[in-house]
Amino acid sequence: MSVEPKLTRFNQTVLSKYNIYNSIFMTLPFDAVTKTGVLLPLFHETCEKGFNKGDDPTTIVNTFFEKYQGRRNKESQINLLFRFIQYIERQVVLFDAIEDAAFPIVNNMDGVGTLRNLKGNARSEGKLEELKAFLEEFKVRIVLTAHPTQFYPGSVLGIITKLTEAIKQNDLAEINNLFGQLGKTPFFKHKKPTPYQEAKSLMWYLENVFYKTFGDIYNYIQTNIYDDGEKHNDIINIGFWPGGDRDGNPFVKPETTLKVAKKLKKSILKKYYQDLRDLRKKLTFRGVEDRVIRLETIMYDYSINLKSKKAITAKELRTELLSIRDVIVDQHQSLYVNEVNNLINRVHLFDYRFASLDIRQDSRIHHNVFTTVIDSLIATGKSSFPDNYHDLSEAEQIEILSKATDDVGDLDAFDDEMVRNTLKTIAIIKDIQKSNGERGANRYIISNNQTALNVMQLFAMLKIVAFKDELTVDVAPLFETIPDLENAPGVMEQLYKNPEYIAHLRARGSKQHIMLGFSDGTKDGGYLMANWGIYKAKEQLTEMSRKYDVTVIFFDGRGGPPARGGGKTHNFYSSLGPTIEDKEVQITIQGQTVSSNFGTNDSSQYNLEQLISSGIKNRIDGEKNRLSDEDRTVMTDLAETSYQTYKDFKSHAMFIPYLERMSTLKYYAKTNIGSRPSKRGKSDKLVFSDLRAIPFVGSWSQLKQNVPGFYGVGTALKVYEDNDEWYKVEQLYNNSKFFKTLLENSMMSLTKSFFDLTKYMSKDEEFGAFWNIIFEEYQITKRLLLKLTGYDELMENEPSGKASIEVRESIVLPLLTIQQYALKKVQELEKAGVPNDDPEKLIFEKIVTRSLFGNINASRNSA
């Protein structure tokens, strides 16, 4: 049977359905404003024609009202704009649901990069045993973070799920009902969520998606690749940051961490109970039924009361299930044995933890806490720390820290709340390990890690607070900025040379977890340098670790958008080459990237399998991906030129004022989508170092300028064009899959840019020159990327992906126009000196804030 091209499948199953269902959707009366659904297409047409003519957003909005709604007063006009926002938000939901429903049709679920394809290729090439060996040591971990980019509240996520199913079934009656529900369900949260509420929202994916897809993938590997019924490497696992990520979030308390861990355990116990309840209806055999009912009762009681006296351990649960399976095989013709195996495998994958809770805190906080603790211990006169500890060199301090045996004592005795909370969090890790198993919480990440001392301070604190006998926690430094990445190998060698620290690593399987952050790396060094800096750091850290017989486990803060290291993630991991340790793929997934890449069983399974296959692909193609000295020189030169270009740009006098006054940066704090403050510092004045990566990247995205995903790339390429050395860049592009992947991700950022939206800024007295700098870099980058790839248009090699972006950008075009119109009004009112509490100003600020939701959700991976 012939298969239509991917773009054709997209047009048939996504675009056509969207047009049909959208026409139904637009007829629904959601509000008091009549004919909103009729007027929105007219406004959309006005926007398109206006931008084609070179009109600015204010002119476009005014033209629409003059032409179609001349009798409306100002209040009525504002109400209509809010109704447009309401409609467009829900059009985005509709498109999401249709794309999700069509996912297995548009994407070949048995094609390249899937497990079925891997197995087929391995068998045909006689390499099945090699594949088995690889899968025994390779792991993928996706880590759900607490970063606030999920603009869909839980109620809307539930509607999307139901709508997706109804669209699959073409159930028009149910679709109509869900449209109605969607129209009545608010998108806007009046209060910030607590960290616990944030955690519960992300647990929706654990319960409704990952429990099934992780199990299905493992079942397939066990049944179709190993085919021996034995327990193998778990291959895929999941990490969890909400409730444990204390970095910059004063609302995450020790009690929050413990509460989230308990909720994770209750959630997985509940899933086991539900599976046992289903099994009981099937396993109605002598010698089996009573045992299944007993387990079902135990899991039900345990999921409600974690202190239940009937409770059994995860090991005991698995042992009993294995015994039941043996009886079914021996006495009952293996009836329903696959269903029993499925549950056994899930217990193996999730244990009683469901997800591994990571703890994270900034090194500067640790330093302050540790200083207080040391001073307190020294004051007792019985400490192993000398009185002059603070005056000693870093090397001498590390020596003392590595052997610290003190007991901190009563944690409540410390007056400083940060000190108490930091120490109590460490104590709670041990409690979680007792309840949820060691992997329930066994990694502590140090943000802004700059020195070996940062690591050893935490190493000592863990031991003197809770882990005196055996430290069952991995200490993971996070290197973020360009200088920190350059210093990272030296920091790690200093640690590897420490006898006590290396002994700790040996006890942990000679594995060292290191996190490398794209978020602040891109904000700090620009797109090319951030990525190349991490690549080089990985190479050097791999070489350094292998020198000391340590396997380094890299954990990438990739997020989702290309500007923060996301984009085509599996292509990135398949391109790393043999000089970078690749035993595990570990990445952060956040916000709308969770819902877009892992929001359904189909998309979750497909993307997880792509990540698994990327590791195998890199192992197979290792030598092919090795960079030659000449290519490495060109890559380094491009990165350094790009870095300097970006540094000059962010040091421009207008950089901060532009973001502060011309973008939506300050409105992120008003969206109430995340529990964290929107910036780090407490000063009223905006400082670059205080900017969080997500509002930073998101603000450029709302402007449709996407600076973090391309700025400096064009200038760096142009140097080679101007020097008649373009062939060197072409050679690098043809030889390096890593470089090619970087540029493809950058093209995605360019594709999502739309400078006509803000062209009016080019004439602004204050910001015109700055806008033109950005636009010029965009034009140079676009021209030279097309020249290098040989494409006629951006993303030419991904027609269905490009088509999806075009539809989404078209849906939100009126929303972007309204946002810019409102921003301009706010600026005009501020110039006129109106007070902050002016009712008109507050209304336009509300329009800006409300428009953020649809724009971010439509872009899917833009913040």
Side-chain angles (χ1 to χ4, degrees):
M1 188 176 88
S2 65
V3 178
E4 297 281 1
K6 195 171 181 179
L7 179 59
T8 304
R9 300 199 301 272
F10 173 85
N11 288 334
Q12 290 172 346
T13 59
V14 178
L15 189 55
S16 296
K17 276 194 173 183
Y18 173 72
N19 289 332
I20 292 167
Y21 286 130
N22 187 46
S23 63
I24 299 169
F25 175 77
M26 296 295 280
T27 63
L28 297 180
F30 288 146
D31 48 68
V33 177
T34 56
K35 298 181 181 177
T36 307
V38 176
L39 292 171
L40 181 53
L42 293 174
F43 181 54
H44 189 283
E45 183 184 30
T46 305
C47 293
E48 284 188 328
K49 287 182 176 177
F51 286 122
N52 284 337
K53 283 196 307 181
D55 290 343
D56 62 81
T58 302
T59 302
I60 289 169
V61 172
N62 290 337
T63 300
F64 169 76
F65 282 125
E66 287 166 11
K67 186 172 182 180
Y68 297 107
Q69 296 290 294
R71 294 181 180 178
R72 282 187 187 271
N73 59 31
K74 276 194 174 182
E75 184 182 352
S76 181
Q77 288 178 359
I78 293 294
N79 283 339
L80 184 60
L81 293 180
F82 273 116
R83 300 310 165 200
F84 282 165
I85 292 170
Q86 180 193 35
Y87 263 67
I88 294 164
E89 283 174 338
R90 286 152 180 81
Q91 282 179 307
V92 174
V93 170
L94 173 60
F95 190 75
D96 278 350
I98 291 170
E99 262 203 325
D100 287 345
F103 190 92
I105 301 169
V106 174
N107 298 279
N108 186 351
M109 301 297 283
D110 295 327
V112 175
T114 64
L115 288 175
R116 195 175 295 276
N117 179 262
L118 275 177
K119 178 199 165 191
N121 288 342
R123 175 163 285 166
S124 64
E125 295 169 14
K127 294 182 177 179
L128 198 56
E129 292 307 311
E130 285 182 48
L131 177 60
K132 289 179 183 179
F134 177 85
L135 291 174
E136 280 292 12
E137 67 172 8
F138 181 70
K139 290 180 187 289
V140 168
R141 180 189 291 195
I142 58 171
V143 181
L144 307 183
T145 78
H147 292 90
T149 62
Q150 178 51 273
F151 278 65
Y152 286 142
S155 53
V156 175
L157 285 172
I159 294 170
I160 293 175
T161 303
K162 290 177 184 173
L163 191 56
T164 299
E165 283 306 309
I167 289 168
K168 279 183 180 177
Q169 306 298 326
N170 287 315
D171 185 344
L172 194 55
E174 178 66 1
I175 289 168
N176 238 350
N177 288 336
L178 289 167
F179 279 170
Q181 184 185 354
L182 196 59
K184 301 289 184 183
T185 302
F187 280 44
F188 187 74
K189 297 172 184 174
H190 293 287
K191 288 197 304 183
K192 274 181 173 287
T194 65
Y196 180 67
Q197 289 168 337
E198 223 163 32
K200 279 179 66 179
S201 294
L202 272 180
M203 282 183 211
W204 186 92
Y205 293 99
L206 296 180
E207 295 169 357
N208 293 282
V209 180
F210 293 121
Y211 183 75
K212 183 178 188 309
T213 53
F214 276 40
D216 288 350
I217 289 171
Y218 188 83
N219 294 341
Y220 180 86
I221 290 170
Q222 187 192 56
T223 307
N224 292 277
I225 295 177
Y226 290 111
D227 194 22
D228 57 7
E230 298 297 316
K231 182 170 80 170
H232 293 278
N233 168 36
D234 55 11
I235 301 169
I236 43 175
N237 56 83
I238 194 159
F240 204 73
W241 275 19
D245 182 9
R246 297 170 51 77
D247 180 19
N249 194 338
F251 309 113
V252 177
K253 310 290 186 186
E255 307 79 54
T256 313
T257 306
L258 191 58
K259 193 176 177 184
V260 169
K262 286 179 177 178
K263 179 64 177 173
L264 283 166
K265 183 172 181 178
K266 282 191 171 189
S267 294
I268 193 60
L269 293 173
K270 183 180 172 186
K271 297 303 290 186
Y272 294 157
Y273 157 69
Q274 290 168 348
D275 278 2
L276 286 162
R277 185 183 61 189
D278 292 340
L279 274 175
R280 175 168 61 89
K281 297 170 187 174
K282 297 174 180 177
L283 303 180
T284 52
F285 322 138
R286 185 181 292 114
V288 173
E289 184 177 28
D290 290 346
R291 295 171 72 178
V292 175
I293 291 172
R294 172 180 162 269
L295 287 179
E296 179 196 5
T297 305
I298 289 171
M299 285 299 115
Y300 178 77
D301 291 342
Y302 201 9
S303 67
I304 294 171
N305 177 19
L306 293 181
K307 295 181 180 177
S308 170
K309 292 180 180 177
K310 296 179 184 176
I312 59 174
T313 65
K315 185 178 179 181
E316 289 169 336
L317 172 61
R318 192 170 186 279
T319 300
E320 178 67 355
L321 287 169
L322 286 167
S323 177
I324 289 170
R325 184 182 72 178
D326 290 342
V327 174
I328 293 170
V329 172
D330 293 342
Q331 300 177 26
H332 302 292
Q333 291 76 48
S334 296
L335 270 172
Y336 299 117
V337 73
N338 285 339
E339 282 87 338
V340 177
N341 269 333
N342 291 352
L343 180 52
I344 290 169
N345 289 340
R346 286 184 168 92
V347 176
H348 170 48
L349 289 175
F350 298 113
D351 203 73
Y352 277 177
R353 69 182 181 277
F354 216 155
S356 297
L357 194 59
D358 282 341
I359 311 298
R360 185 172 76 126
Q361 184 55 285
D362 192 287
S363 64
R364 291 162 291 195
I365 298 290
H366 284 157
H367 179 75
N368 293 337
V369 169
F370 195 68
T371 300
T372 304
V373 170
I374 297 303
D375 289 344
S376 172
L377 290 172
I378 291 173
T380 65
K382 301 174 185 177
S383 173
S384 62
F385 291 89
D387 291 349
N388 66 338
Y389 171 80
H390 297 304
D391 299 323
L392 298 176
S393 67
E394 181 179 311
E396 289 170 321
Q397 286 184 350
I398 287 174
E399 179 69 18
I400 293 167
L401 291 171
S402 67
K403 297 172 182 174
T405 56
D406 292 45
D407 190 323
V408 174
D410 181 11
L411 305 184
D412 285 317
F414 291 94
D415 295 329
D416 189 292
E417 184 186 11
M418 182 60 78
V419 174
R420 286 198 309 275
N421 285 344
T422 303
L423 299 179
K424 283 183 177 180
T425 299
I426 289 172
I428 278 169
I429 296 173
K430 194 160 192 177
D431 294 335
I432 294 171
Q433 290 190 355
K434 287 176 185 173
S435 171
N436 295 19
E438 192 221 286
R439 289 171 66 190
N442 68 343
R443 181 164 67 180
Y444 199 127
I445 298 156
I446 310 168
S447 306
N448 190 47
N449 197 99
Q450 297 178 336
T451 65
L453 184 62
N454 294 152
V455 174
M456 293 309 296
Q457 284 177 337
L458 177 61
F459 180 77
M461 269 201 291
L462 286 164
K463 294 212 293 190
I464 64 180
V465 172
F467 295 90
K468 293 173 179 62
D469 301 325
E470 181 188 9
L471 180 52
T472 52
V473 178
D474 297 311
V475 180
L478 165 51
F479 300 103
E480 298 179 73
T481 66
I482 304 304
D484 290 347
L485 289 169
E486 291 170 352
N487 295 334
V491 169
M492 295 317 299
E493 181 164 40
Q494 200 174 347
L495 292 168
Y496 294 154
K497 283 181 175 179
N498 183 279
E500 284 74 22
Y501 189 80
I502 199 73
H504 161 67
L505 291 185
R506 298 287 178 244
R508 303 291 294 162
S510 293
K511 292 182 178 180
Q512 171 66 55
H513 291 244
I514 298 177
M515 187 174 178
L516 301 163
F518 280 84
S519 309
D520 282 334
T522 309
K523 182 167 76 76
D524 177 59
Y527 181 69
L528 273 189
M529 181 53 96
N531 282 277
W532 181 236
I534 285 173
Y535 187 96
K536 288 194 298 179
K538 281 186 175 180
E539 285 188 317
Q540 292 162 2
L541 288 165
T542 297
E543 184 180 6
M544 184 65 68
S545 299
R546 287 173 178 171
K547 176 180 168 183
Y548 291 91
D549 195 26
V550 171
T551 300
V552 64
I553 306 298
F554 291 118
F555 173 27
D556 290 320
R558 293 190 69 83
R564 296 183 70 227
K568 295 291 181 181
T569 306
H570 55 276
N571 286 350
F572 171 81
Y573 283 108
S574 67
S575 72
L576 294 179
T579 55
I580 292 175
E581 196 69 77
D582 64 350
K583 295 276 175 58
E584 294 195 29
V585 167
Q586 295 200 8
I587 52 172
T588 57
I589 306 290
Q590 70 197 29
Q592 78 276 32
T593 309
V594 181
S595 55
S596 61
N597 287 0
F598 302 94
T600 68
N601 290 320
D602 289 326
S603 63
S604 175
Q605 180 163 340
Y606 181 83
N607 284 304
L608 283 168
E609 289 188 13
Q610 291 292 324
L611 282 174
I612 293 171
S613 70
S614 71
I616 296 172
K617 181 85 171 138
N618 186 53
R619 189 70 60 88
I620 294 168
D621 294 345
E623 285 305 318
K624 278 194 226 171
N625 292 331
R626 187 188 289 272
L627 284 168
S628 68
D629 290 343
E630 189 178 352
D631 285 342
R632 185 177 289 275
T633 300
V634 175
M635 185 70 229
T636 300
D637 185 48
L638 287 170
E640 287 176 353
T641 304
S642 174
Y643 183 33
Q644 188 57 53
T645 305
Y646 178 76
K647 281 203 300 184
D648 292 344
F649 173 64
K650 73 175 185 179
S651 63
H652 192 288
M654 288 293 108
F655 186 88
I656 292 294
Y658 183 80
L659 274 177
E660 197 167 24
R661 287 158 48 199
M662 305 300 279
S663 84
T664 59
L665 182 69
K666 62 186 178 185
Y667 296 93
Y668 268 78
K670 300 178 182 181
T671 57
N672 293 326
I673 56 164
S675 65
R676 294 200 310 175
S678 59
K679 67 187 186 76
R680 289 187 175 90
K682 294 180 180 178
S683 73
D684 293 333
K685 188 179 177 184
L686 188 63
V687 180
F688 183 81
S689 59
D690 286 345
L691 285 176
R692 291 199 184 282
I694 289 167
F696 176 74
V697 172
S699 296
W700 290 112
S701 169
Q702 295 279 333
L703 283 168
K704 306 312 290 179
Q705 293 177 355
N706 292 322
V707 158
F710 73 83
Y711 200 92
V713 175
T715 296
L717 291 172
K718 192 170 185 298
V719 171
Y720 280 81
E721 183 185 52
D722 291 345
N723 293 339
D724 293 326
E725 293 184 313
W726 186 251
Y727 68 93
K728 291 184 178 180
V729 180
E730 288 179 321
Q731 181 177 299
L732 173 63
Y733 179 77
N734 292 326
N735 291 348
S736 171
K737 188 176 177 183
F738 170 75
F739 183 57
K740 188 175 285 189
T741 301
L742 280 187
L743 297 191
E744 286 177 356
N745 284 347
S746 189
M747 276 197 275
M748 189 189 295
S749 292
L750 292 169
T751 302
K752 292 181 178 181
S753 297
F754 180 59
F755 278 83
D756 285 350
L757 179 72
T758 55
K759 190 187 287 183
Y760 71 92
M761 294 182 190
S762 66
K763 298 169 185 171
D764 188 273
E765 284 184 18
E766 191 174 4
F767 294 107
F770 187 73
W771 186 93
N772 282 310
I773 289 171
I774 301 169
F775 184 54
E776 186 178 345
E777 184 65 23
Y778 162 80
Q779 287 182 306
I780 292 169
T781 306
K782 180 179 176 181
R783 177 179 71 80
L784 291 179
L785 286 186
L786 291 176
K787 178 179 178 178
L788 183 58
T789 57
Y791 298 160
D792 292 323
E793 56 183 32
L794 296 170
M795 291 183 70
E796 188 179 295
N797 62 325
E798 293 181 65
S800 64
K802 182 180 176 63
S804 175
I805 289 172
E806 286 173 350
V807 176
R808 290 174 175 279
E809 295 298 319
S810 175
I811 291 170
V812 296
L813 182 64
L815 197 57
L816 292 162
T817 309
I818 291 168
Q819 184 185 84
Q820 283 297 317
Y821 168 76
L823 273 170
K824 186 69 175 164
K825 288 289 186 185
V826 171
Q827 291 158 15
E828 288 170 359
L829 290 168
E830 285 177 345
K831 280 182 181 176
V834 302
N836 287 334
D837 60 355
D838 177 75
E840 188 180 11
K841 183 169 181 278
L842 291 173
I843 282 289
F844 284 118
E845 286 182 335
K846 187 178 179 183
I847 288 177
V848 176
T849 303
R850 288 290 288 111
S851 64
L852 292 172
F853 292 72
N855 289 333
I856 285 289
N857 289 331
S859 294
R860 283 209 154 179
N861 68 344
S862 59

